[in-house]
Every structure is written in structure tokens, then in C-alpha cells.
Amino acid sequence: MNNSAEILIVDDEVQIRKLLEIALESNGYKTICAVNAKEGIALAANHQPDLIILDLGLPDEDGQVVLKRVREWYTKPILILTVKNAEEEIVKALDNGANDYLVKPFRTQELLARIRTALRNLNQNENEPIIEFGEILIDFTARIVKLKNEILKLTTTEYNLLSILVKNEGRVLTHQYLLNQVWGNSYSDQTQYLRVFVAQLRKKIEEDPNRPKYIITESGVGYRFNSC
């Protein structure tokens, strides 16, 4: 864990900025703050922080617009922290490139956990050929998945879906994103395909498919993969 990571906070609320600064710095992170969109974009470009915490309700620009603009060149994690909790806002932010989405008021420990996951994935080699979690091993080079050292029989679609989830650990992936990536653009509204294959995957990799610990449902939005 890189607890010396620098985190940019973009939020116009003084109390929230102070709360975040205290929580993050007491856990070893460095922080820089912006009070509006213009300042946030400038600091993101000049400092290239390890992670950005972005509010959607900024005084000078819609946070969704800021997110899209920053995502044109910034490749590190962006976590949305906002009072906007409408499902369409969440889906839009995730589709615009946010890694995660938390609604105010938030629990500090949950925020810190989300940050740790995002930074862990950032520091992980994206081309790592083998990933292990629990009793599961995925060999991306050989396209093999093992459970307790036994090869799991996965269809091509199941393997592709699992690979995308694992490579984006901790990130909420929307239904549309997963459908586009696995099945193609013409299937972007066929959420029943996704539900069926997620259920099949859970039966194969989860100890209790009805209480999954790896493939987590984000209600009305999509799925998140957690390895621990």
C-alpha cells in the first residue's frame, strides 16, 4: 500500500474539505484541495495526483463535465463524492470514467477502504499474467481459471466477463459497460444476458452464490469485483 499517495480533493464545501483532509492525512496520505472545477482541472494537470475525489455539485461547472474533461488525459482513479444519489447520475458518472461513487453523508472508514482498493489496483501491474484471490487462480496468458488447483470449466463468455471484472477490481462497472465489452454495442440494453452469466459465474467461483464475496451487485447500476 502506498500511503504516501497524493490525493486531490475537488469540493466547494469547506467542512467536507476539512473532514477529508483530516481523515486522509491522519492515514498517511498527502492532500491538495480545489474549491471549484477550474482549480480542480488545473491542479489535476499540474500535480498528476494518485487519486482524485470529485464532487459533482461544483459552483462553476457540472462535475460530470469535469469528469469527462479530466478523463481525456488522466488515467488514475477518480472517486465521486456527492449528495446526488439518483441512479441515472451514478450510472452517468461511472460511464464517464469514474472508478467509484459514494453519496454524502459518507462513512469515513468506507471511503478509506475504497481509496485503498483503488490505489492497490493502480500499483498493480495491469499486464500481470497471473492473479490469485482466495483459492482461485487466473492465468491470463493461458486463459485458465483454477479453483483449489483444479481447472474450472468456463465458457468463453464467462471467462471474458470474469477477466474484465478482475482487471477492474474495486471499480463499479455499469451494466452497459460490461455488455458492450463482452457482447458488443448491439447488446447494450440486454441486461438479462448479464444477470444470467453473473449467476453462472457465482455458482462456479463463490463459496455461497447467494451471498457472494467476489462479484458484488451494485443495485440498479452494475457490478464490482472484490478479491478480499
Side-chain angles (χ1 to χ4, degrees):
M1 175 59 62
N2 178 19
N3 260 33
S4 63
E6 185 175 63
I7 297 177
L8 169 60
I9 301 164
V10 186
D11 199 305
D12 64 320
E13 294 182 62
V14 177
Q15 297 91 336
I16 294 293
R17 289 201 307 274
K18 289 297 182 184
L19 174 62
L20 290 172
E21 281 183 285
I22 293 168
L24 294 172
E25 291 177 5
S26 65
N27 280 272
Y29 298 110
K30 301 173 185 175
T31 63
I32 48 176
C33 295
V35 301
N36 56 41
K38 183 179 179 180
E39 189 177 356
I41 292 170
L43 287 175
N46 293 331
H47 285 258
Q48 291 290 318
D50 297 292
L51 182 143
I52 297 174
I53 297 176
L54 174 65
D55 182 19
L56 294 183
L58 299 172
D60 57 337
E61 186 70 88
D62 185 344
Q64 297 280 9
V65 175
V66 176
L67 176 60
K68 290 183 72 173
R69 287 181 60 187
V70 171
R71 263 293 174 243
E72 291 175 1
W73 46 267
Y74 182 81
T75 59
K76 297 176 183 179
I78 299 176
L79 190 155
I80 302 299
L81 186 63
T82 183
V83 295
K84 297 182 180 181
N85 62 359
E87 185 178 304
E88 57 267 27
E89 282 284 349
I90 299 173
V91 171
K92 184 178 179 182
L94 295 169
D95 283 338
N96 282 339
N99 292 71
D100 212 339
Y101 195 110
L102 278 178
V103 176
K104 300 174 184 176
F106 60 94
R107 292 175 293 183
T108 302
Q109 290 305 314
E110 181 179 4
L111 173 67
L112 291 169
R114 302 282 184 96
I115 289 172
R116 287 194 296 270
T117 297
L119 292 175
R120 182 173 67 244
N121 296 337
L122 174 65
N123 295 328
Q124 191 176 53
N125 183 354
E126 291 182 358
N127 297 315
E128 188 175 358
I130 294 176
I131 290 179
E132 295 184 65
F133 52 95
E135 297 181 298
I136 298 171
L137 178 147
I138 303 178
D139 185 332
F140 292 108
T141 302
R143 293 177 64 87
I144 288 174
V145 179
K146 291 183 178 180
L147 174 63
K148 299 179 181 178
N149 292 320
E150 296 289 332
I151 294 178
L152 275 180
K153 293 182 179 179
L154 298 182
T155 67
T156 299
T157 300
E158 288 171 347
Y159 174 83
N160 290 341
L161 177 58
L162 180 61
S163 296
I164 291 170
L165 287 165
V166 170
K167 289 177 180 178
N168 289 278
E169 183 192 353
R171 180 175 180 175
V172 180
L173 302 179
T174 64
H175 297 128
Q176 186 175 44
Y177 176 85
L178 288 168
L179 286 162
N180 286 343
Q181 291 295 310
V182 179
W183 285 274
N185 293 336
S186 60
Y187 288 83
S188 61
D189 60 347
Q190 302 296 319
T191 55
Q192 71 271 22
Y193 278 76
L194 195 52
R195 285 195 293 270
V196 168
F197 278 91
V198 166
Q200 290 175 189
L201 269 180
R202 282 173 170 163
K203 287 178 182 177
K204 294 181 178 182
I205 71 169
E206 300 280 4
E207 186 175 339
D208 182 355
N210 295 318
R211 299 177 64 185
K213 68 175 184 177
Y214 296 128
I215 303 176
I216 309 302
T217 299
E218 295 289 343
S219 184
V221 178
Y223 297 94
R224 177 205 305 273
F225 186 88
N226 287 325
S227 65
C228 56

